[in-house]
């Protein structure tokens, strides 16, 4: 079934595992939850030997377990959950995993943009049916959030701070009153949320000031701040996990040499350090230098090696992918990368050797090509 989808949602991708967890789960379940809170945590963070299970449950989200536990506890309450953090910190992936484990449906999603309207979180109308038969529940098109309310499951709102204040305000009554009124109808004109309904929203901390949340809306969310992963070991695990999935999806058999993964991790760590010490935005790369962007760089290099190389990942290709992915502004980003290559990569290639000289040469060629 997953072969028929470009990207299968978590409840489809891990359907067999979720079925098995549900079959052995004897813990108390809030409302209409499919799994108990302990099993939800186990699904997200993976099993340990102490769990005494007959099979290994792989870890799917890499981060502090306290963030996951606080998120689960919030969903078991009557408050919304807001996951906030820098781009690429895994907020949306965590929201998807939680929705899949709790409700076996992670697809009831509203994407917040400047064009998102109140209809997107409440309801709209099938115009042709309204003309033919008038306004009724049959001619109403419920939003993903309203559908989640009616089913008593999790609804998701991505990039909440990207939507306008009137759209955000429409969430207040949903989160506080747990119903939506339909004034166009005389009968059956209120949709009540069923037990188990909740909302997981995500917000980009770099969007602060775009459309700030009102105090009233903030009070109705529990905030869980997801930090950027800075631990190299944890970050390496994330990159390996996601890269393995990407290789499987593309049906590519190609090994990622550990020394090249170390070079990628070290390069991002160096660039983050440089960004932290920069005194102005012109001295920082436009990229957030997130773990997700590392995965993107590695995927780009792997696909290039597969389609235009000899199916072997090489340092030159990795360097070219890194420069091509991070050089978004010309000439600012190229100047920053050029400074890094001369000031850090060149000395390191002389001192450490290994794949660093080839990485140095590949980066130089990519910078020269883009300049």
């Amino acid at each position: 079934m997953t072969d028929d989808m470009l990207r299968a949602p978590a409840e489809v991708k891990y359907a067999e595992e979720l079925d098995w967890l549900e079959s052995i789960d004897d813990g108390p379940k809030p409302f209409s939850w499919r799994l108990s809170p302990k099993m939800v945590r186990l699904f997200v963070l993976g099993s340990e030997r102490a769990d005494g299970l007959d099979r290994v449950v792989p870890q799917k989200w890499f981060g502090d377990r306290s963030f996951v536990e606080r998120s689960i506890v919030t969903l078991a309450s009557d408050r919304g959950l807001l996951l906030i953090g820098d781009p690429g910190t895994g907020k949306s992936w965590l929201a998807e995993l939680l929705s899949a484990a709790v409700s076996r449906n992670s697809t009831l999603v509203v994407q917040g943009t400047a064009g998102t309207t109140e209809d997107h979180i409440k309801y709209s109308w099938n115009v042709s049916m309204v003309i033919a038969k008038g306004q009724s529940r049959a001619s109403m098109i419920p939003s993903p959030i309203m559908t989640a309310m009616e089913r008593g499951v999790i609804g998701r709102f991505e990039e909440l701070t990207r939507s306008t204040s009137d759209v955000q305000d429409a969430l207040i009554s949903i989160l506080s009153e747990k119903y939506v009124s339909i004034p166009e109808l005389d009968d059956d004109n209120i949709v009540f949320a069923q037990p188990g309904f909740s909302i997981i929203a995500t917000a980009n901390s770099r969007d602060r000031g775009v459309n700030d949340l009102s105090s009233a809306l903030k009070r109705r969310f529990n905030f869980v701040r997801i930090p950027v992963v800075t631990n190299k070991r944890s970050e390496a695990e994330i990159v390996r996990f996601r890269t393995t999935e990407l290789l499987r999806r593309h049906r590519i058999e190609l090994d990622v040499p550990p020394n090249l993964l170390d070079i990628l991790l070290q390069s991002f760590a160096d660039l983050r350090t440089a960004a932290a010490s920069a005194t102005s935005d012109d001295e920082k790369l436009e990229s957030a230098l997130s773990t997700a962007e590392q995965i993107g760089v590695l995927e780009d290099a792997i696909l290039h090696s597969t389609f235009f190389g000899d199916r072997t990942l090489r340092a030159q290709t990795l360097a070219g992918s890194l420069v091509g992915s991070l050089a978004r502004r010309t000439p600012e980003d190229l100047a920053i990368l050029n400074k890094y290559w001369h000031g850090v990569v060149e000395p390191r290639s002389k001192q450490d050797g290994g794949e660093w000289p080839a990485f140095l040469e590949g980066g130089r060629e990519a910078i020269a090509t883009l300049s």
Side-chain angles (χ1 to χ4, degrees):
M1 185 175 180
T2 57
D3 291 339
D4 298 332
M5 305 178 190
L6 181 61
R7 181 190 176 280
E11 63 272 16
V12 175
K13 185 175 184 179
Y14 301 110
E16 189 273 334
E17 182 180 302
L18 287 166
D19 287 340
W20 180 76
L21 289 173
E22 195 169 340
S23 70
I24 65 168
D25 189 6
D26 58 1
K29 302 178 183 67
F31 310 117
S32 57
W33 285 29
R34 300 290 294 271
L35 293 176
S36 65
K38 283 188 177 180
M39 281 298 183
V40 173
R41 182 185 64 184
L42 190 145
F43 171 71
V44 174
L45 296 177
S47 61
E48 299 175 353
R49 183 175 298 179
D51 294 318
L53 299 179
D54 295 333
R55 60 183 280 182
V56 174
V57 177
Q59 186 172 3
K60 303 168 189 67
W61 188 82
F62 296 82
D64 194 301
R65 67 187 295 136
S66 65
F67 300 144
V68 176
E69 290 176 354
R70 177 168 166 76
S71 298
I72 295 170
V73 169
T74 296
L75 294 176
S77 70
D78 61 350
R79 296 174 65 81
L81 170 64
L82 179 62
L83 302 175
I84 187 168
D86 283 353
T89 49
K91 303 181 298 296
S92 297
W93 179 231
L94 177 56
E96 181 177 339
L97 290 171
L98 290 170
S99 299
V102 170
S103 306
R104 294 297 288 267
N105 188 346
S106 65
T107 60
L108 297 173
V109 186
V110 173
Q111 181 65 49
T113 67
T116 303
T117 65
E118 189 173 332
D119 292 351
H120 291 118
I121 62 172
K122 287 189 174 180
Y123 59 90
S124 56
W125 298 96
N126 184 320
V127 177
S128 60
M129 288 186 66
V130 170
I131 293 173
K133 300 181 179 180
Q135 290 178 320
S136 65
R137 288 296 295 270
S139 60
M140 191 178 72
I141 304 173
S143 71
I145 299 297
M146 180 179 281
T147 300
M149 294 175 67
E150 291 181 304
R151 296 180 183 175
V153 297
I154 304 294
R156 295 169 52 203
F157 199 122
E158 290 289 311
E159 304 291 354
L160 180 58
T161 49
R162 286 309 232 174
S163 56
T164 57
S165 57
D166 57 329
V167 174
Q168 294 178 19
D169 288 345
L171 277 179
I172 294 177
S173 62
I174 292 176
L175 289 169
S176 59
E177 305 300 334
K178 302 295 191 295
Y179 67 79
V180 172
S181 297
I182 310 170
E184 295 91 340
L185 301 181
D186 294 328
D187 300 314
D188 194 16
N189 58 0
I190 298 180
V191 173
F192 292 96
Q194 298 300 303
F197 166 71
S198 190
I199 292 177
I200 305 177
T202 64
N204 186 342
S205 54
R206 292 198 172 199
D207 285 340
R208 183 174 297 172
V210 176
N211 290 298
D212 288 333
L213 302 182
S214 67
S215 298
L217 187 55
K218 285 180 179 179
R219 288 197 303 271
R220 287 159 176 81
F221 278 111
N222 274 355
F223 283 55
V224 175
R225 297 188 178 276
I226 310 296
V228 173
V229 178
T230 55
N231 181 280
K232 282 189 178 181
R233 182 177 178 181
S234 298
E235 194 162 44
E237 289 177 339
I238 297 171
V239 175
R240 288 193 194 97
F241 172 76
R242 298 298 287 173
T243 302
T244 300
E245 288 193 329
L246 291 168
L247 289 171
R248 189 183 301 117
R249 187 176 75 187
H250 290 294
R251 298 179 181 177
I252 293 174
E253 294 183 7
L254 186 148
D255 292 329
V256 178
N259 52 351
L260 290 186
L261 182 57
D262 290 340
I263 287 177
L264 177 64
L265 293 169
Q266 185 61 57
S267 298
F268 267 72
D270 293 337
L271 291 167
R272 286 170 184 159
T273 300
S277 61
T279 57
S280 68
D281 288 341
D282 289 339
E283 297 176 357
K284 298 179 183 179
L285 289 170
E286 189 176 80
S287 165
L289 298 171
S290 66
T291 305
E293 286 172 311
Q294 286 191 65
I295 296 167
V297 169
L298 190 55
E299 181 185 20
D300 181 86
I302 288 171
L303 293 175
H304 195 281
S305 300
T306 301
F307 299 135
F308 302 110
D310 57 1
R311 295 181 178 273
T312 301
L313 182 61
R314 303 188 186 282
Q316 296 97 320
T317 306
L318 183 64
S321 295
L322 190 148
V323 171
S325 297
L326 299 187
R328 300 173 181 176
R329 298 175 301 174
T330 303
E332 294 89 349
D333 285 350
L334 282 176
I336 295 169
L337 290 169
N338 189 52
K339 181 180 178 181
Y340 168 67
W341 242 261
H342 284 287
V344 178
V345 178
E346 185 173 349
R348 189 169 284 146
S349 67
K350 294 177 180 177
Q351 177 181 339
D352 299 341
E355 295 285 357
W356 281 102
F359 186 74
L360 171 67
E361 186 60 30
R364 282 175 169 172
E365 291 176 0
I367 292 171
T369 300
L370 294 174
S371 298

